[in-house]
Amino acid sequence: MTAHRLERVPAIIYRESHTAIRTNVLASPLQAYKYENNRRYHAYREGSYWGPNDEQDAYHQKVAHHLFTLVLQDRLYFAPVAQPHHVLDIGTGIGLWASNVSDAHPQAQILGTDLSPLWHPDFTIRPNLTFEVDDCCSNWTYLDEGRELFDLVHIRCLYGSVKDWRKLYQQAFEHLEPGKGWIEQVEVSLVPRFLYTRGDAVGSDFCHKEGKGWDSTAADHDSNSIFVTWYRFWQECSKRTGKTWFVADQMASLIYEAGFEDVRQERYMLPLFDSSEGIAPTATTTSSICGEYSDYPVTRLAEIARWFRQFWETGMEGWILAVSTRYMGWTANEAKEFVAKTNQVLAEQSSRVYYELVVVYGQRPLLEGVS
């Protein structure tokens, strides 16, 4: 058995987005994968995505999927599409979300696309589920190939992966059914927020506004936090790669600007500290932090915190290793040392930091330009 094997996938469709050509052939192992610093990466459109595609990352995707399912209370999507017919899942990864939707809607046709053929063989046996190797940042050719319009386009965790979000949203717009089709995107906001409690009050010491720097009133231990260092790292990555890591805080306005109507946004708290104590169920925690659920319990936050810490623990090396060594001049050892230091902070529970999961969805109007 070699590490490059593809035999676990019985059939892979490779698409060239600039043409209408579709083939049903397996790529060679060298075409499918490359190795760097002992992690495996995609070779198709090499370098366009920073994340590894190995078994370690597959496990991280499983953790992420469970975390998001927990936060969103088992809702696969928020867009009001009761009976979807054609669904596109962009950046499908190992195909967890796509497979769940295919099971929930057996009459719908689900298409998952990714730069890497990562999906597991049991996903491929679903008659209503197809996976294709494709680059969502290229020109979409679905309509040229005679395919039907979608009624749901789903995007999740593509931070740092897309150079031109406006183009991506515009192409999604053009491939959705007018008056019926919805786009939905789920991203983690990578802006750290620090919780304080003073008597009965609950709030944040500061929230960073992109381009305006950190609030000078922030506590020194917050400003010097390793999570602020992570933020500055992602900020520098955005500059050097030309691909923003902060799309979570931009996507609502960009989706609206692309022509979608009835654009809605939900935000949910992702604590990295033990939230079983010290967070009272106040209006702040139940509405502005915990999303639309007024009954969002503190016990659920504690469980979310445990899974979000595992999200960090399983994902950090993948987040940092390629971009730091390719663009930032770091060595692999320096990147791993930074991960180890962060793991130590996570274990110590010394920082009351939290992030937010952001969900944005909007509908293509029946007539463009008419509200």
Side-chain angles (χ1 to χ4, degrees), residues 157-354:
C157 289
L158 286 189
Y159 42 80
S161 306
V162 176
K163 184 164 289 188
D164 190 346
W165 278 104
R166 286 182 172 85
K167 176 184 176 181
L168 180 59
Y169 294 142
Q170 186 61 43
Q171 294 200 104
F173 184 94
E174 294 168 356
H175 286 75
L176 283 164
E177 186 76 30
K180 297 180 179 179
W182 289 77
I183 188 174
E184 179 160 322
Q185 186 167 356
V186 181
E187 301 284 349
V188 177
S189 171
L190 298 177
V191 178
R193 294 163 169 85
F194 297 88
L195 195 77
Y196 68 83
T197 55
R198 295 171 186 157
D200 294 331
V202 180
S204 294
D205 279 326
F206 62 92
C207 290
H208 175 76
K209 301 297 183 183
E210 191 165 359
K212 296 183 180 179
W214 292 98
D215 189 329
S216 60
T217 63
D220 289 341
H221 69 278
D222 289 344
S223 297
N224 296 327
S225 166
I226 196 168
F227 301 105
V228 174
T229 305
W230 270 101
Y231 169 81
R232 290 170 177 151
F233 172 82
W234 281 318
Q235 188 179 48
E236 188 63 24
C237 286
S238 300
K239 293 178 181 177
R240 298 200 183 195
T241 65
K243 300 176 181 180
T244 181
W245 288 69
F246 304 103
V247 65
D249 302 295
Q250 304 167 358
M251 57 189 182
S253 59
L254 291 176
I255 287 172
Y256 178 78
E257 290 171 8
F260 290 93
E261 66 179 11
D262 201 12
V263 177
R264 309 174 194 179
Q265 176 176 262
E266 308 290 346
R267 303 181 80 96
Y268 298 89
M269 186 182 194
L270 297 172
L272 269 176
F273 58 91
D274 183 2
S275 57
S276 60
E277 299 178 359
I279 300 183
T282 66
T284 301
T285 56
T286 57
S287 58
S288 63
I289 294 179
C290 297
E292 65 177 0
Y293 301 101
S294 59
D295 59 345
Y296 208 88
V298 172
T299 53
R300 180 174 286 265
L301 273 182
E303 186 177 2
I304 288 170
R306 288 193 295 271
W307 279 96
F308 192 44
R309 287 196 298 274
Q310 192 171 356
F311 177 82
W312 272 74
E313 291 163 356
T314 60
M316 278 188 288
E317 185 179 282
W319 301 339
I320 196 173
L321 196 54
V323 288
S324 66
T325 55
R326 293 175 188 174
Y327 298 99
M328 313 284 283
W330 292 25
T331 66
N333 284 338
E334 287 173 332
K336 292 178 179 180
E337 287 172 4
F338 184 57
V339 169
K341 183 178 179 181
T342 307
N343 272 319
Q344 181 179 355
V345 173
L346 290 174
E348 293 172 350
Q349 290 284 291
S350 57
S351 182
R352 293 173 63 80
V353 63
Y354 70 94

Side-chain angles (χ1 to χ4, degrees), residues 14-36:
Y14 282 82
R15 304 181 63 252
E16 175 52 59
S17 295
H18 298 295
T19 71
I21 298 174
R22 299 172 71 236
T23 60
N24 291 313
V25 299
L26 288 174
S28 72
L30 291 180
Q31 287 176 310
Y33 304 134
K34 64 164 289 186
Y35 280 82
E36 186 177 312

Side-chain angles (χ1 to χ4, degrees), residues 9 11-15 22 86-102 108-119 123-124 126 128-136 142 147 150 152-155:
V9 184
I12 302 172
I13 299 174
Y14 282 82
R15 304 181 63 252
R22 299 172 71 236
H86 295 90
V87 177
L88 174 62
D89 183 28
I90 297 174
T92 192
I94 62 174
L96 293 172
W97 184 89
S99 64
N100 285 172
V101 173
S102 71
Q109 293 299 314
I110 314 300
L111 172 62
T113 65
D114 204 284
L115 289 170
S116 298
L118 299 177
W119 34 91
F123 296 167
T124 65
R126 290 169 170 82
N128 66 330
L129 177 59
T130 303
F131 292 108
E132 296 180 0
V133 174
D134 196 11
D135 182 0
C136 67
Y142 302 116
R147 305 200 197 189
F150 300 104
L152 178 62
V153 172
H154 177 262
I155 304 169

